[in-house]
């Protein structure tokens, strides 16, 4: 579904991403793990067109690297960005309506989608008219995911959905992702919480210093001593912090 | 006293329109149109020109002057609004979202081009645009005021109110607020961010053009009248808080009142008091009375 070939991203003189190639097949959950500053967000921003990148990005068989972000979203690439980035000064409901922007002119379909995601996240329905900035971290993440799903994507990209959330909430969110995949969604999941990500993923890539250093089946990577050393041990530190 | 308050609110509501324009472009693009004053002046002359052309074409008494004036106001808003697009494309788009303040010079430059073009058409002199309901002075008790003051006040408040509702209740308002808060997140919703920015410039320029036609019957119209109006509008936005549209409106009314009440005592002190107020507010609240700091994510 998504093929990224030799993608590089630079910020001024700094090369954040050095010729990365990944592939996400239809119906897969692919995890991308790596430490802070490994280039995970740069890769996602390159895929969604939020930063200029060199290299090729193909989605559903067509090149999308020349397209603007809204054009890529219209083709079915959605992202719940790092740090959620919900519209904190608007209500929960308005945030969801904004997710329906591309379907303007089809209000029934937007309304039906909103109902669907209120059913998926009943907490959001309870908070329907609350200003989004007053939500808890977990609720904000649910809103970020629901808002991305409102664009009716084929591929859902999530940038560190567990960031700053209690483990029990993270587990909740990850269960939702598994449910979405069961219903046919393709998911690219970026995580520092490597253990949980690998537990629900089919395949995974490990990013280090802007390059892919390891890739394979998630189950295999989970047993890989290099991964256990570098990332899975890190989970304990995360829980402690 | 009542007279001064009405006069102050009238001017203040015009400053509020200009301040709202600054708010629109600042929140969506983090830039300001320093040609706003020229858009006000040229807007007034587009209004004058419209009245002239229509009178010549239709004969002096074909339709009532009220309708001519209304058409002039619409024409000024349309023409200046449309001119906001090349302003955005030429003076803002190459620089928006990048570090540096090149847009300060580029917008001032655009204003100079606009003003010079208008000077070559209309010349240096001041002109009078007649008020749509005449220059009669109405009396309420001690106070006397002109019909145009009420026209300006009512129209400006109606427009400010409509903007306020539109920003809160309509899809386009939601998009503007989304772009204002977070451009990347807005783009991820499929919102065409540059288009929203262009619309902000269109709206802000249209407001400036309309303001020109509104004030022309009160002040006399010259191609230099816009500068001080835009400067007060800018001060209003700074006092009220550039990031808060309601703050900008309140700032406009406040400046108008201060100016007009000071004039009761001494006309020369008007400007001094206005800018003393700006300095005082900024010393106490650097983001304005109702503003907040915008953090630019790099």
């Amino acid at each position: 579904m998504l093929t990224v070939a030799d993608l590089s991203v630079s910020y001024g003189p700094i090369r954040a991403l050095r010729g990365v190639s990944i592939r996400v097949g239809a119906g897969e959950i692919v995890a991308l793990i790596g430490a802070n500053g490994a280039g995970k967000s740069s890769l996602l921003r390159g895929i969604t067109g939020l930063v200029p990148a060199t290299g090729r990005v193909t989605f559903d068989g067509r090149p999308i690297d020349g397209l603007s972000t809204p054009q890529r979203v219209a083709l079915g690439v959605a992202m719940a960005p790092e740090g959620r980035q919900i519209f904190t000064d608007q209500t929960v409901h308005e945030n969801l309506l904004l997710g329906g922007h591309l379907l303007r002119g089809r209000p029934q379909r937007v309304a039906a989608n909103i109902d669907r995601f209120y059913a998926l996240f009943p907490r959001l329905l309870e908070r329907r008219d609350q200003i989004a900035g007053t939500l808890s971290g977990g609720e904000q993440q649910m809103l970020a995911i629901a808002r991305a799903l409102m664009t009716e994507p084929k591929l859902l990209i999530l940038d560190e959905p567990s960031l700053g959330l209690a483990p029990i909430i993270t587990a909740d969110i990850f269960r939702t992702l598994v449910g979405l995949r069961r219903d046919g969604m393709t998911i690219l999941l970026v995580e520092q919480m490597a253990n949980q990500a690998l537990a629900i993923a089919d395949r995974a890539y490990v990013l280090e210093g802007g390059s892919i250093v390891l890739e394979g089946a998630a189950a295999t990577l989970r047993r890989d001593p290099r991964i256990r050393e570098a990332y899975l041990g890190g989970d304990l530190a995360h829980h402690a912090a | 006293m009542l007279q001064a308050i009405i006069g102050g609110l009238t001017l203040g509501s015009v400053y509020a329109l200009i301040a709202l324009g600054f708010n629109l472009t600042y929140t969506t693009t983090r830039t300001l149109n320093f040609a706003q004053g020229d858009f006000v002046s040229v807007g007034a002359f587009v209004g004058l020109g419209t009245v002239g052309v229509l009178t010549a074409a239709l004969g002096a008494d074909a339709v009532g002057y009220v309708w001519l004036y209304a058409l002039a106001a619409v024409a000024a808003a349309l023409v200046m609004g449309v001119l906001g697009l090349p302003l955005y494309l030429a003076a803002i788009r190459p620089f928006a979202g990048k570090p540096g303040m090149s847009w300060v010079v580029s917008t001032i430059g655009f204003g100079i081009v606009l003003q010079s073009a208008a000077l070559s058409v209309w010349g240096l002199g001041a002109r009078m645009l007649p008020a749509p309901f005449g220059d009669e002075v109405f009396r309420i008790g001690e106070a006397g005021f002109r019909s145009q003051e009420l026209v300006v006040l009512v129209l400006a408040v109606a427009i400010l109110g409509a903007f306020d509702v539109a920003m809160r209740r309509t899809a386009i308002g939601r998009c503007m607020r989304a772009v204002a808060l977070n451009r990347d997140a807005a783009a991820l919703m499929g919102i065409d961010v540059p288009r929203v920015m262009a619309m902000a410039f269109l709206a802000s320029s249209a407001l400036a053009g309309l303001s020109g036609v509104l004030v022309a019957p009160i002040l006399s119209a010259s191609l230099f009248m816009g500068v001080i109006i835009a400067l007060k509008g800018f001060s209003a936005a700074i006092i009220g808080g550039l990031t808060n549209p309601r703050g900008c409106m309140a700032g406009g009314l406040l400046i108008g009142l201060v100016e007009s009440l000071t004039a009761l005592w001494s006309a020369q002190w008007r400007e001094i008091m206005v800018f003393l107020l700006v300095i005082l507010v900024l010393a106490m609240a650097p983001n304005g009375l109702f503003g907040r700091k915008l953090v630019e994510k790099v």
Side-chain angles (χ1 to χ4, degrees), chain A residues 45 50 69-70 73 79 81 85-90 94 97-99 101-102 147 151, chain B residues 168 174-175 177-179 181-182 184-193 195 292 297:
Chain A
R45 291 169 65 78
L50 289 173
T69 300
V73 175
M79 176 159 86
Q85 301 190 34
I86 53 168
F87 301 110
T88 48
D89 60 348
Q90 306 200 42
E94 286 171 327
L97 284 173
L98 279 161
H101 177 78
L102 287 169
R147 190 184 64 170
T151 64
Chain B
R168 275 153 210 286
R174 277 195 296 274
C175 287
R177 286 161 64 207
V179 170
L181 187 76
N182 186 331
D184 284 353
L188 285 171
M189 301 293 97
I191 295 171
D192 187 342
V193 174
R195 205 166 120 198
R292 67 193 157 80
K297 220 181 144 189

Side-chain angles (χ1 to χ4, degrees), chain A residues 112-124:
Chain A
N113 285 345
I114 290 182
D115 287 343
R116 204 144 55 85
F117 300 125
Y118 278 150
L120 183 64
F121 300 110
R123 289 287 283 278
L124 294 183

Side-chain angles (χ1 to χ4, degrees), chain A residues 132-225:
Chain A
T134 65
L135 299 181
S136 72
E139 289 162 351
Q140 292 195 9
Q141 188 59 58
M142 291 173 201
L143 180 57
I145 294 173
R147 190 184 64 170
L149 290 172
M150 282 295 298
T151 64
E152 299 191 345
K154 296 175 189 151
L155 169 68
L156 176 64
I157 302 175
L158 299 112
D159 196 349
E160 303 230 17
S162 76
L163 195 75
L165 299 186
I168 187 165
I169 312 241
T170 305
D172 232 28
I173 301 261
F174 277 40
R175 258 196 301 281
T176 308
L177 298 184
V178 172
L180 285 171
R181 191 263 291 270
R182 201 170 41 235
D183 297 338
M185 185 63 68
T186 305
I187 294 174
L188 174 57
L189 172 65
V190 160
E191 262 303 336
Q192 280 194 40
M193 298 288 216
N195 207 7
Q196 278 109 315
L198 291 175
I200 64 164
D202 303 297
R203 292 186 305 113
Y205 295 87
V206 179
L207 204 55
E208 217 174 272
S211 307
I212 302 283
V213 292
L214 260 178
E215 60 175 284
T220 318
L221 286 183
R222 235 176 145 188
R223 289 191 302 270
D224 191 300

Side-chain angles (χ1 to χ4, degrees), chain B residues 44-57:
Chain B
F45 276 80
V46 168
L48 272 162
T50 307
V51 169
V53 167
L54 286 177
T55 309

